[in-house]
Amino acid sequence: MQSKIAATAPVVRRWLTMAEHTLANHSDRLNAINIYPVADADTGTNLYLTVRAAAQALEELEPSDVGVTMATAGRAAMEQARGNSGTLLSVSLMAMAEPLSGAQRLSGPLLAASLHRAQLRAWSALSEPMPGTILSVLEAAAAGANSVESTIQGDESNHTLAETINGAVKAAREAVVLTESQLGVLSDARVVDAGGVGLLLILDCLRSVIVGEPLQEDLLDGLSGYKVQDPNIALNMPVQEGVEVMCSITLSPLAAAGLRLELDSMGDSVIMSAVSEEADPTGSYPWRLHVHVPSSALALDAIRAVGDPSNVSISALSATSSDNGHDLL
């Protein structure tokens, strides 16, 4: 391990830039094993586009503390989040920023607190969270980081920061392996969860920039379905009817809760998370919304009944559909 460890605000910029490039290289294989919650073969693409939005938002950001930098990246990711995995990742980035508020450098305790906050927010954002997904991997990463932090009692040294991110990545890797046995559809297809693998890559990018080492060459060795020559499982899955609807909307907390309940009754994979903690003069907040429904009209009617959606995106739930994604501006 190199003696000089990156721990200041620019680490976030370098992390997300590296994650963007890494996901670009892995998006095809991530798409190929993307069969949960639906086999739409786009998890790799969605994670890449979401991280790219976060990375681009930092290109012109004035020098800021770690919390502001992370929050800026999280908001940009949330506003342009793609898919289930991209939305949950953007929720996580925004949550990670909270314990970092005002911090001039990243430390082991702060990283552990950030990952813990991220896994809490991600689990609560999804109406029906499931083990064996990106959520399980994020939870394991947080536990791995916390197990290190709990033994060093607030030590903010660079050594402890390195040990903390190493613990998070190691635990995340173990959790990815377990995903295959946690969900029946993954067990039947003999693959690990695509979103979980994507998050593992993102976390290893953070490890890389913190300790100044390359990505681990053997990180993905032995993961079911991840060899280059393995088949594209997603394209061989049965066609699933329905669409994914995403949008941004400004609502009061009460209206947002009511809309979530209505969307829960008509579809699944409902994710709602506030883009900002600052309310407008009416007491409303900007939200990012994601749902899988039989018909886009069902969801859009319910959404428009309570507010004016923007940045609307509608995508087919089947990877083989001829209408696999379009935006309505």
Side-chain angles (χ1 to χ4, degrees):
M1 182 183 301
Q2 295 183 7
S3 58
K4 185 177 181 180
I5 296 180
T8 57
V11 72
V12 178
R13 191 190 313 268
R14 294 198 296 273
W15 167 37
L16 294 174
T17 297
M18 186 176 191
E20 176 189 351
H21 295 158
T22 300
L23 289 170
N25 291 333
H26 285 265
S27 60
D28 286 349
R29 181 42 41 187
L30 291 171
N31 289 343
I33 63 170
N34 170 209
I35 61 173
Y36 185 86
V38 291
D40 47 3
D42 62 1
T43 286
T45 302
N46 288 338
L47 284 173
Y48 163 69
L49 292 173
T50 302
V51 170
R52 185 179 70 174
Q56 289 178 342
L58 300 184
E59 290 179 358
E60 299 181 0
L61 180 68
E62 295 294 327
S64 305
D65 64 46
V66 180
V68 169
T69 305
M70 186 74 79
T72 300
R75 280 193 299 271
M78 180 71 77
E79 290 167 356
Q80 300 185 53
R82 299 285 180 169
N84 189 294
S85 56
T87 304
L88 291 173
L89 175 63
S90 63
V91 169
S92 300
L93 290 175
M94 290 193 65
M96 287 181 71
E98 296 172 8
L100 300 175
S101 178
Q104 297 302 314
R105 63 182 299 276
L106 188 62
S107 66
L110 283 176
L111 177 59
S114 291
L115 289 173
H116 177 67
R117 187 72 59 86
Q119 64 99 5
L120 290 177
R121 286 294 181 87
W123 277 91
S124 64
L126 191 60
S127 289
E128 297 181 0
M130 292 290 292
T133 64
I134 189 172
L135 295 175
S136 296
V137 179
L138 180 57
E139 183 177 52
N146 185 67
S147 67
V148 174
E149 199 280 329
S150 64
T151 65
I152 47 86
Q153 299 180 342
D155 183 355
E156 297 184 351
S157 67
N158 286 341
H159 173 73
T160 295
L161 175 59
E163 291 300 309
T164 302
I165 186 57
N166 282 329
V169 173
K170 179 181 178 181
R173 208 291 183 171
E174 293 170 352
V176 168
V177 174
L178 288 176
T179 61
E180 182 181 359
S181 63
Q182 291 175 302
L183 286 171
V185 64
L186 300 181
S187 300
D188 292 343
R190 297 182 180 178
V191 296
V192 291
D193 180 66
V197 179
L199 178 61
L200 176 61
L201 286 166
I202 292 168
L203 289 172
D204 200 45
C205 288
L206 179 57
R207 183 202 63 82
S208 176
V209 299
I210 285 176
V211 303
E213 294 179 349
L215 294 176
Q216 300 177 70
E217 292 184 359
D218 60 351
L219 182 70
L220 306 179
D221 288 356
L223 297 184
S224 297
Y226 214 77
K227 293 179 181 178
V228 174
Q229 63 268 31
D230 286 338
N232 190 319
I233 298 295
L235 293 180
N236 295 323
M237 298 295 287
V239 173
Q240 181 163 346
E241 299 299 327
V243 294
E244 173 188 76
V245 176
M246 297 189 66
C247 70
S248 299
I249 190 169
T250 299
L251 297 172
S252 69
L254 182 59
L259 178 58
R260 179 194 282 270
L261 286 174
E262 188 166 1
L263 294 176
D264 280 336
S265 70
M266 67 176 65
D268 53 34
S269 292
V270 177
I271 306 174
M272 285 191 69
S273 184
V275 178
S276 170
E277 294 185 349
E278 296 183 6
D280 66 14
T282 69
S284 296
Y285 297 80
W287 301 78
R288 188 64 178 165
L289 183 155
H290 170 282
V291 63
H292 293 170
V293 286
S295 164
S296 60
L298 282 175
L300 291 174
D301 285 348
I303 293 167
R304 287 170 177 151
V306 295
D308 184 19
S310 62
N311 195 14
V312 179
S313 173
I314 302 172
S315 303
L317 292 182
S318 173
T320 57
S321 171
S322 60
D323 181 26
N324 196 26
H326 62 278
D327 293 334
L328 301 178
L329 300 180

